[in-house]
Amino acid sequence: MNSDSELSSSVIRGVGSYLPEKNVDNIELSKRVDTSDEWITSRTGIKARRIAEKEQATSDLALEAASAALVDAGMSPRDIDLVVVATITPDMAFPSTACLLQDKLGIPKVCCFDIEAACSGFLYALDVADGMLSSNRYKCALVVGAEKLSSIMDWQDRTTCVLFGDGAGAAVLTNKGDGLKILGFKSGADGSNPKLLHQPSGGSLDPASQESLAGRGHFLKMNGREIFKSAVRVMERAAREILSEHGYKESDIDHVIPHQANARIVESLSQRLGIPLGKFYCNLDKYGNTSAASIPIALDEARRISVVQKGQLGLMVAFGAGLTWSAVLVRF
Ligand code: UT7
């Protein structure tokens, strides 16, 4: 089955992204933390990251990206009847960042909610929005991946704080029309080892207290080496499964837009899938890992600089805390 016309999924009509102005490169970071440009570059490929201003919340980053996506789609906030925001750094535990974005953008009083699937969040949100659009009860979805990861970074922990950055990306989806056609999804999760990457405190298990603050439990904690191994394995499997389900081979893929976590993860994935590294779009050197925002930011950039051409076959693939993963096949 590889005739795209046989498949009924939604169309991405417009894409937009936003990155905060403040650029912090590895040299500057190494003045604050016991690290070096050499270590960060050789282990991750990251050279710099953007950091939001103190008064900028995730919904503010989302607002900029969503506005750009609406302009790209030639649509207005009044056209939207579904808002899904993927984030692990919501403005607050509740109400959802999607509700806050609705108000800031002037979207009508439609269905708005957040999805939390960490770095796979944007692809999970696309999967959910695609399903809701195909029910025909919704016509036009705004799907956003937005993160202010600097707000949960432990700036005393060099094993994590050098990796992440802030940003947002957004897409406008309808179930027909011209644009980037979504052909299918392969999303999954394995919740058996949550402590590999988590934020231990501030939830119902360990509510905010003097002890949780003293224990620095409100910051992101990660076992990087184990996440690395799992990431490559689950992304390879999801990619192979979606290709085979749709009757495509690895060699049919023109472009891969991977989650932007680590250049070495991307290299391993390229080797294991047998898809040349040159087909992988990477911008993690400039922005670091922006979690749920990383894929829509990369997609927007790849389209703007004409890396991808109409009619080409694309694969977006991500992994994240949970462990979650998702692969999405698209026709540009
Ligand atoms: O979106 C999902 C998010 N997570 C990820 O994608 C993370 C996936 N994992 C990774 O990207 C890599 O595992 C890291 C980049 C996090 C770490 O690279 P690694 O090659 O696995 O290094 P390591 O954790 O094994 O640490 C090697 C050494 C250690 O020193 P010793 O014990 O060998 O003396 C660390 O203490 O590097 C040290 N180290 C650092 N040194 C300088 C760890 N972080 C730093 C640092 N600067 N920032």
Side-chain angles (χ1 to χ4, degrees), residues 29 33-40 42-44 46 118-120 157-164 196-197 220 222-229 231 259-265 289-292 294 319-321 323:
L29 202 54
V33 186
D34 179 19
T35 187
S36 64
D37 177 39
E38 197 282 327
W39 191 95
I40 304 170
S42 63
R43 301 285 178 134
T44 71
I46 297 165
C119 305
S120 313
D157 177 7
R158 67 177 184 173
T159 68
T160 54
C161 74
V162 303
L163 304 173
F164 296 93
L196 285 182
L197 178 48
L220 175 151
M222 180 173 69
N223 177 337
R225 212 177 273 189
E226 287 307 313
I227 287 282
F228 191 116
K229 284 190 261 174
H259 171 46
Q260 309 284 317
N262 183 321
R264 290 189 296 132
I265 292 180
N289 181 347
T290 56
S291 189
S294 95
F319 69 97
L323 201 72

Side-chain angles (χ1 to χ4, degrees), residues 14-324:
V15 184
S17 61
Y18 172 75
L19 289 140
E21 304 246 310
K22 195 203 268 176
N23 190 55
V24 177
D25 66 16
N26 293 346
I27 310 274
E28 196 178 331
L29 202 54
S30 61
K31 291 177 190 154
R32 284 200 245 162
V33 186
D34 179 19
T35 187
S36 64
D37 177 39
E38 197 282 327
W39 191 95
I40 304 170
T41 306
S42 63
R43 301 285 178 134
T44 71
I46 297 165
K47 301 290 287 178
R49 70 285 298 142
R50 300 294 181 87
I51 303 294
E53 296 301 325
K54 195 170 181 302
E55 62 276 9
Q56 273 181 310
T58 295
S59 63
D60 298 312
L61 312 185
L63 173 65
E64 300 292 338
S67 303
L70 282 166
V71 170
D72 190 45
M75 290 183 181
S76 94
R78 287 185 306 281
D79 296 317
I80 301 295
D81 61 3
L82 172 66
V83 181
V84 188
V85 174
T87 186
I88 54 166
T89 49
D91 288 24
M92 54 193 92
F94 60 87
S96 70
T97 301
C99 285
L100 304 173
L101 176 64
Q102 175 208 41
D103 183 57
K104 287 182 179 181
L105 247 181
I107 290 172
K109 311 278 179 242
V110 299
C111 177
C112 298
F113 61 94
D114 287 0
I115 278 188
E116 199 267 79
C119 305
S120 313
F122 180 75
L123 299 187
Y124 263 60
L126 277 186
D127 197 342
V128 168
D130 176 79
M132 292 178 75
L133 288 172
S134 67
S135 76
N136 282 322
R137 290 196 292 123
Y138 300 90
K139 289 190 170 48
C140 187
L142 175 63
V143 177
V144 183
E147 302 284 13
K148 187 179 179 183
L149 291 163
S150 58
S151 66
I152 57 164
M153 278 306 111
D154 185 344
W155 296 100
Q156 295 177 13
D157 177 7
R158 67 177 184 173
T159 68
T160 54
C161 74
V162 303
L163 304 173
F164 296 93
D166 301 334
V172 177
L173 264 75
T174 58
N175 52 14
K176 49 181 184 268
D178 270 349
L180 189 159
K181 184 156 176 51
I182 296 178
L183 306 181
F185 295 89
K186 193 81 210 170
S187 303
D190 174 2
S192 62
N193 207 348
K195 291 187 179 169
L196 285 182
L197 178 48
H198 68 151
Q199 184 185 4
S201 304
S204 58
L205 182 65
D206 184 22
S209 64
Q210 297 290 359
E211 291 74 31
S212 70
L213 282 174
R216 309 183 78 74
H218 304 267
F219 296 122
L220 175 151
K221 315 271 182 218
M222 180 173 69
N223 177 337
R225 212 177 273 189
E226 287 307 313
I227 287 282
F228 191 116
K229 284 190 261 174
S230 304
V232 177
R233 202 174 54 241
V234 299
M235 285 198 293
E236 178 193 4
R237 195 178 58 213
R240 287 203 195 281
E241 284 176 4
I242 189 125
L243 286 170
S244 114
E245 271 179 22
H246 288 79
Y248 289 108
K249 299 187 296 297
E250 286 70 7
S251 55
D252 293 324
I253 294 290
D254 296 300
H255 300 284
V256 183
I257 300 192
H259 171 46
Q260 309 284 317
N262 183 321
R264 290 189 296 132
I265 292 180
V266 177
E267 283 158 22
S268 288
L269 186 63
S270 152
Q271 275 167 15
R272 289 170 76 137
L273 285 173
I275 299 177
L277 194 53
K279 290 188 174 183
F280 285 71
Y281 188 75
C282 278
N283 59 10
L284 62 89
D285 55 324
K286 294 185 289 186
Y287 310 133
N289 181 347
T290 56
S291 189
S294 95
I295 288 194
I297 292 172
L299 174 64
D300 185 38
E301 200 172 274
R303 280 175 78 250
R304 270 190 290 114
I305 61 175
S306 303
V307 169
V308 298
Q309 304 294 332
K310 197 164 174 55
Q312 290 183 320
L313 189 65
L315 174 72
M316 302 192 276
V317 62
F319 69 97
L323 201 72
T324 57

